[in-house]
Amino acid sequence: MPRPVVAPGFDRRILVGLCGVLLAVLVSGFNENVTKVALADIRGAMGFSVDDGSWIVALYSAMSVSAMAFAPWCAATFSLRRFALAMIGGFMVLGVLCPLAPNLQTFLLLRALQGMCGGALPPLLMSVALRFLPPGIKLYGLAAYALTATFGPSMGTPLAAFWVEQVGWHWAFWQIVPYCLAAMAMVGWGLPQDPLRLERFAQFDGVGLMLGLPALVLLVLGLVQGPRLNWFDSSLITLMLGGGAGLLVLFFINEWFHPLPFFKLQLLANRNLSYSLITLGGVLFVLLAVISIPSGFLASVQGYRPQQTAPMLLWVAVPQVIALPLVAALLNIRAIDCRWVQATGLALLALACWLGAHLDVSWIRDNFLWVQLLQVFAQPMAVLPLLMLATGGLAPQDGPFASAWFNTVKGFAAVLASGVLEAVAQGRRHFHSTVLVERLGEQPWLAEGPQLGARLHAQVQALTSADLYLLVALVALAFIPLIAWMPTRIHPPRAVA
């Protein structure tokens, strides 16, 4: 019989430990986004090709998402503190070694391992918040977790602009070191030390690991590389996505019957959890798009470097530190229905995207001001109710399973959203380019004047960006009717007067 783990009383040490895990998770997100934004500089400095760079991103993402699936089991077995310290330490050391890699193969291996360590951290943050925080402030702990979806991604470009353009490309990797050291000190001092539970290995889900790990890796690699290799026109992408999907089906069959699974499929009978997982994919699609669309437009049409784009993203990122606790306080009021808070958040995101759809080739950074500012409260209002619905009403022993579900879907949905967005963008660019070229053929006087190619490119990018904004607005609106049908009303853990 497994020994029950008793949660100690909440005090400042646990608060410090929670902040340490939060810092590590944010740094992990910063690292992933900084290296993506600075990829051209990294490739140039290390002599890697564009194709090489695509595998750098793909392998990191694949291992990161895969680690999210299995980290809760490892934390329950080896203890939260031991596992967190090991993953933070490994993440830091691998980051130091990456720019010192002598060749591409070594670099890819280091990045894949670093992705594994970084991906293991977000589930630990949710586990700490669910286990240690008293009911009255649990929503604030979940708000801290929500920072990883709202604050973290927007900070990639500003940090890349500073480290790469002001200090040096090595620091796109090395900037994590002081933060990781601080996080390890906070976790080591703050989190209580649970006993090892090695008896769990007697029921180890080895078949699940052998099926689930390659399934997630293949699916993520296929989604990341799909736009570059033209999806199913490539036999490699077909093999990755087809093989990954087949293995995933077998994995879920195994998980249904296993006595100690990595994923507890029976939890999907909980309507609120199922709704949260479904809607999470749509919300992450929207959140990714509202970062990538304006950034891509300004870089492609106006020639902005990350340093010039950074202030626009900071308009959303920095206020999240205030907006998330305020939304948590709102949700902690018993009279407030979190479902309609989320509906409001999705509606505001749709409004922001509708405003963005009016862009044209003359838009510069300041024209996106209202598009960005509307998201300050819209993003936490769309994300935090999902966390409340996903975790509310679950038994304590189901916390690790809920964490595995939520974090794996979160990581996988972000990759899927990126692939879908790029595929749609490619299609719309091709469509608008064809239409504009045909118009030039029918009305040759339109082609008069210098720099025809540049003007045509700018117009295609503007029309494509507007189309993407409209698509994202429709996605945000499409999930609102689901709120009235699927999730049930849930009250906060403790009413606030």
Side-chain angles (χ1 to χ4, degrees):
M1 188 77 178
R3 288 167 295 185
V5 177
V6 180
F10 179 75
D11 57 19
R12 63 175 183 173
R13 292 188 67 158
I14 289 179
L15 179 60
V16 169
L18 173 66
C19 291
V21 180
L22 172 61
L23 177 60
V25 173
L26 289 175
V27 169
S28 171
F30 293 163
N31 171 78
E32 181 176 4
N33 289 296
V34 166
T35 48
K36 280 182 182 178
V37 174
L39 186 59
D41 298 276
I42 295 168
R43 285 194 295 102
M46 302 193 75
F48 299 154
S49 67
V50 174
D51 288 348
D52 296 338
S54 70
W55 285 105
I56 292 169
V57 173
L59 281 171
Y60 186 98
S61 298
M63 294 304 295
S64 178
V65 173
S66 301
M68 292 178 185
F70 305 105
W73 187 94
C74 294
T77 303
F78 300 109
S79 86
L80 267 170
R81 188 170 80 169
R82 286 190 188 93
F83 189 66
L85 290 172
M87 292 300 100
I88 299 170
F91 181 78
M92 177 183 66
V93 171
L94 291 163
V96 171
L97 295 176
C98 277
L100 306 178
N103 51 53
L104 175 64
Q105 292 73 22
T106 304
F107 185 84
L108 290 175
L109 176 62
L110 292 173
R111 280 298 281 174
L113 292 174
Q114 192 186 26
M116 181 187 70
C117 293
L121 295 172
L124 304 186
L125 177 59
M126 178 177 283
S127 297
V128 171
L130 292 176
R131 178 182 167 195
F132 294 120
L133 294 184
I137 62 172
K138 190 162 290 187
L139 282 175
Y140 295 96
L142 294 176
Y145 174 87
L147 282 173
T148 65
T150 58
F151 176 79
S154 296
M155 289 299 294
T157 297
L159 288 172
F162 175 75
W163 291 113
V164 175
E165 299 187 15
Q166 302 297 327
V167 183
W169 70 272
H170 295 80
W171 289 92
F173 299 96
W174 294 347
Q175 45 98 13
I176 67 173
V177 172
Y179 304 114
C180 286
L181 289 174
M184 291 178 71
M186 295 164 74
V187 169
W189 183 78
L191 292 187
Q193 181 59 73
D194 296 330
L196 289 170
R197 298 183 61 192
L198 300 182
E199 71 276 3
R200 288 166 59 87
F201 277 102
Q203 294 181 305
F204 180 66
D205 187 5
V207 174
L209 181 64
M210 290 188 290
L211 291 172
L213 180 61
L216 291 171
V217 169
L218 287 173
L219 287 171
V220 174
L221 288 176
L223 290 170
V224 175
Q225 294 287 18
R228 183 178 70 87
L229 299 177
N230 204 22
W231 294 103
F232 293 105
D233 289 342
S234 165
S235 58
L236 178 61
I237 298 301
T238 302
L239 177 62
M240 285 180 174
L241 294 181
L247 288 173
L248 190 64
V249 171
L250 295 175
F251 170 69
F252 283 142
I253 293 173
N254 175 78
E255 296 303 281
W256 180 267
F257 295 103
H258 199 278
L260 188 61
F262 294 110
F263 283 86
K264 191 174 181 180
L265 273 73
Q266 290 82 355
L267 280 183
L268 298 182
N270 184 307
R271 291 174 59 181
N272 287 346
L273 177 62
S274 295
Y275 162 79
S276 299
L277 297 178
I278 293 170
T279 307
L280 181 63
V283 170
L284 287 176
F285 178 81
V286 174
L287 297 189
L288 175 73
V290 295
I291 294 173
S292 62
I293 294 173
S295 300
F297 171 82
L298 291 173
S300 180
V301 175
Q302 307 298 356
Y304 276 35
R305 292 278 296 166
Q307 191 170 13
Q308 296 167 295
T309 308
M312 178 188 69
L313 299 178
L314 290 173
W315 295 339
V316 179
V318 174
Q320 293 300 310
V321 179
I322 298 174
L324 272 164
L326 290 179
V327 173
L330 178 68
L331 294 173
N332 225 12
I333 300 174
R334 187 174 179 82
I336 301 296
D337 189 335
C338 70
R339 297 174 297 176
W340 305 119
V341 172
Q342 193 195 26
T344 304
L346 289 171
L348 288 174
L349 285 173
L351 176 60
C353 293
W354 179 78
L355 292 176
H358 292 80
L359 65 80
D360 57 44
V361 293
S362 66
W363 274 39
I364 59 174
R365 183 178 65 204
D366 293 347
N367 293 105
F368 288 93
L369 178 62
W370 282 108
V371 178
Q372 299 300 102
L373 290 183
L374 274 173
Q375 299 171 44
V376 171
F377 281 94
Q379 290 190 10
M381 290 173 74
V383 173
L384 197 49
L386 287 179
L387 288 164
M388 183 175 173
L389 287 166
T391 59
L394 291 178
Q397 64 269 22
D398 289 331
F401 295 114
S403 180
W405 270 115
F406 199 89
N407 284 280
T408 306
V409 170
K410 173 177 173 284
F412 187 79
V415 175
L416 178 62
S418 180
V420 170
L421 197 64
E422 180 58 32
V424 174
Q426 284 182 357
R428 298 310 294 171
R429 280 194 293 266
H430 178 74
F431 171 79
H432 289 302
S433 179
T434 301
V435 170
L436 291 175
V437 169
E438 288 178 353
R439 287 187 60 193
L440 289 174
E442 296 171 358
Q443 306 176 60
W445 61 86
L446 293 176
E448 296 176 0
Q451 299 180 329
L452 173 62
R455 289 189 290 127
L456 182 64
H457 170 77
Q459 190 63 41
V460 167
Q461 289 298 122
L463 291 170
T464 299
S465 298
D467 288 349
L468 292 176
Y469 265 129
L470 283 176
L471 170 65
V472 174
L474 290 175
V475 170
L477 290 174
F479 280 92
I480 294 179
L482 192 61
I483 297 173
W485 171 66
M486 193 170 181
T488 58
R489 174 76 186 271
I490 187 171
H491 294 288
R494 184 193 67 184
V496 175

